[in-house]
């Protein structure tokens, strides 16, 4: 006997440990006013011990797909990481390549071919491609780094010509350099027409400097707000970057240095003299200075720790910062250090942001999806439309920022498991049959796939005990995705 949506809402809320809903009132009415931000209002972290392989896959990947945990356990965590650190050697699934190609010219990194396209269609295609890669790519660590750097060098896709130029930036900046050398990544971003347009450097001219990009370059992209720079440094950096803009006609969207708009006077940045008449090299010299600065090494190391571990242990952060400077900002070396550290297994759990939550759910149940409008509509309701954050600091990482998005998560779980997400199907029956062949019942199979711990783990029992005997498999699957444990990685 299958549950109605009304009953499922009640059971789902119970599975989350929410307050009892008097008379089984609707989820929407009960949570019309979300709780105020604060850790006390969050669902608790996982109650049981997650397997080491699952823990790693929740940090270095967007969670495990069926079979991934066994694969990591077979080859070992260190071997898996080394494999992931060489993404070009990992062949992508043919069906993923086909689905990306089916998006056509919308993902063409030549901006000249994109300006006749509709902005909303272009952004929709980029969002769809990003979701498909996160769900299906075997280069999972690369996709994690794409998410990390896309936030670090955030660009709002609906400002100026962002819809066209962010596609180029995604390909030529973030994906090309995300596991390379930080100075190369920073330089590609500084020459990105999407970034220069988003942060107004196109109007940064001699005699009327615009400080917007210069400020964010130091505050967000490199040194950090307490990185030792002054307002005078901001102005001097802005002067160095006068004339850095993009082509408006021929080779539209390509980087352009407008020498007529450049301030060729001498400048001093962070105590470093930049002589007069340096032209475009003034900006390159600034990038060299800030990329090699100890504050940048510390800040990037700390952000990587927070992203992968949820905390930034002082000893590990210092070790990574030292490695940053010794390797000339080699990103692979930093990622190797943090993901091979013991803290991967011992650090606090990290609350999943909406994209992480949705993708990990799709991966856990081996869902067949086109990553298109059906999934994107749910991400919008959860508050994380890709490339839709207007501020330059990227989507927030603090848990409290996402509390208002809990009910939409539960609705996503319900729609996903009930087959109501457009062009998205969860093969729950096939997964359950596979579990039965291994001696597991439906609830044990679904919980082990999603939660990453043995089906017979005693800590799993409280969750399974909430499932009425009459609850069908799809309702059970929804409750697993709605459970407190699945909100964290």
């Amino acid at each position: 006997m299958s549950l109605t949506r009304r009953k499922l809402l009640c059971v789902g809320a119970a599975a989350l440990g929410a307050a009892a809903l008097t008379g089984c009132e609707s989820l929407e009415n009960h949570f019309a006013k979300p709780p105020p931000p604060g850790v006390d209002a969050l669902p608790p972290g996982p109650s049981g011990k997650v397997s080491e392989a699952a823990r790693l896959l929740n940090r270095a990947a967007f969670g495990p797909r069926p079979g991934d945990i066994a694969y990591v356990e077979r080859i070992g965590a260190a071997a898996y990481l080394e494999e992931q650190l060489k993404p070009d050697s990992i062949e992508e699934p043919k069906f993923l390549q086909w689905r990306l190609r089916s998006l056509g010219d919308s993902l063409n990194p030549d901006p000249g071919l994109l300006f006749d396209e509709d902005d909303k269609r272009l952004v929709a295609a980029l969002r769809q491609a990003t979701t498909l890669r996160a769900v299906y790519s075997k280069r999972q660590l690369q996709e994690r780094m794409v998410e990390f750097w896309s936030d670090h060098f955030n660009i709002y896709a609906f400002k100026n010509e962002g819809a066209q130029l962010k596609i180029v930036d995604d390909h030529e900046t973030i994906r090309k350099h995300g596991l390379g050398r930080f100075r190369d990544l920073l330089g590609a971003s500084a020459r990105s027409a999407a970034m220069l347009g988003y942060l107004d450097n196109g109007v940064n001219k001699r005699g009327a400097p615009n400080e917007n990009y210069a400020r964010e370059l130091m505050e967000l992209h490199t040194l950090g707000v307490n990185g030792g720079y002054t307002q005078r440094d901001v102005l001097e950096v802005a002067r160095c970057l006068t004339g850095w803009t993009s082509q408006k006609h021929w080779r539209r969207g390509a980087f352009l240095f407008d020498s007529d708009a450049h301030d060729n006077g001498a400048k001093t940045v962070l105590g470093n003299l930049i002589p007069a008449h340096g032209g475009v090299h003034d900006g390159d010299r600034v990038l060299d200075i800030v990329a090699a600065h100890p504050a940048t090494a510390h800040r990037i190391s700390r952000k990587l720790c927070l992203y992968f571990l949820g905390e930034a242990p002082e000893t590990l952060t210092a070790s990574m910062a030292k490695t940053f400077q010794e390797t000339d900002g080699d990103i692979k070396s930093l990622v190797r250090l943090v993901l091979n550290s013991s803290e991967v297994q011992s650090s606090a759990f990290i609350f999943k942001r909406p994209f992480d939550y949705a993708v990990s759910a799709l991966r856990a149940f081996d869902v067949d999806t086109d990553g298109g409008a059906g999934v994107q509509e749910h991400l919008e309701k959860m508050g994380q439309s890709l490339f839709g954050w207007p501020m330059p600091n990227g989507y927030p990482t603090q848990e409290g920022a996402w509390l208002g998005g809990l009910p939409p998560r539960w609705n996503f779980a319900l729609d996903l498991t009930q087959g109501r997400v457009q062009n998205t199907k969860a093969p729950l029956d096939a997964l359950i049959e596979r579990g039965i062949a291994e001696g597991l019942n439906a609830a044990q199979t679904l919980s082990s796939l999603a939660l990453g711990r043995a089906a017979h783990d005693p800590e799993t029992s409280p969750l399974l005990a909430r499932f009425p005997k009459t609850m069908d498999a799809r309702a059970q699957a929804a409750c697993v995705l709605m459970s407190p444990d699945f909100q964290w990685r």
Side-chain angles (χ1 to χ4, degrees), residues 179-367:
L179 277 169
R181 180 171 163 261
F182 180 74
R183 172 62 180 83
D184 295 334
L185 173 61
L186 183 67
S189 176
R191 280 176 162 78
S192 165
M195 182 63 75
L196 293 172
Y198 171 55
L199 292 179
D200 306 315
N201 210 75
V203 296
N204 183 21
K205 299 178 180 180
R206 173 172 47 87
N210 184 293
E211 301 174 4
N212 197 13
Y213 175 57
R215 186 179 306 281
E216 305 306 353
L217 172 66
M218 291 191 286
E219 180 178 328
L220 296 178
H221 299 171
T222 56
L223 308 172
V225 67
N226 297 313
Y229 66 90
T230 66
Q231 173 58 28
R232 181 65 185 175
D233 289 314
V234 173
L235 178 58
E236 294 290 87
V237 169
R239 291 179 60 213
C240 289
L241 292 168
T242 49
W244 281 49
T245 184
S246 60
Q247 297 276 5
K248 303 302 180 188
H249 302 291
W250 176 249
R251 298 186 64 235
R252 187 175 177 184
F255 174 74
L256 170 68
F257 176 68
D258 182 357
S259 57
D260 292 337
H262 183 64
D263 182 339
N264 256 317
K267 301 101 175 169
T268 301
V269 174
L270 296 170
N272 296 274
L273 175 65
I274 298 179
H277 307 296
V280 69
H281 301 298
D282 289 354
D284 289 324
R285 181 69 182 119
V286 165
L287 299 178
D288 290 340
I289 292 169
V290 296
H293 199 283
T296 298
H298 182 271
R299 184 164 185 274
I300 298 302
S301 299
R302 186 174 186 276
K303 281 196 72 172
L304 284 168
C305 280
L306 290 171
Y307 180 73
F308 285 115
L309 305 178
E311 57 190 48
E314 290 186 13
T315 301
L316 180 58
T317 301
S319 177
M320 291 172 65
K322 182 172 183 287
T323 297
F324 184 106
Q325 295 189 288
E326 291 175 345
T327 64
D328 197 21
D330 180 60
I331 298 168
K332 283 186 180 180
S333 296
L334 302 180
V335 174
R336 181 181 287 111
L337 258 178
V338 68
L339 288 178
N340 273 319
S341 70
S342 60
E343 284 85 354
V344 169
Q345 299 298 329
S346 63
S347 62
F349 287 96
I350 303 170
F351 193 70
K352 294 178 182 177
R353 298 192 300 179
F355 183 69
D356 204 335
Y357 172 78
V359 170
S360 62
L362 296 169
R363 286 176 60 79
F365 290 154
D366 202 21
V367 174

Side-chain angles (χ1 to χ4, degrees), residues 4 39 53 117 131 206 331:
T4 65
V39 175
E117 299 285 344
T131 303
R206 173 172 47 87
I331 298 168

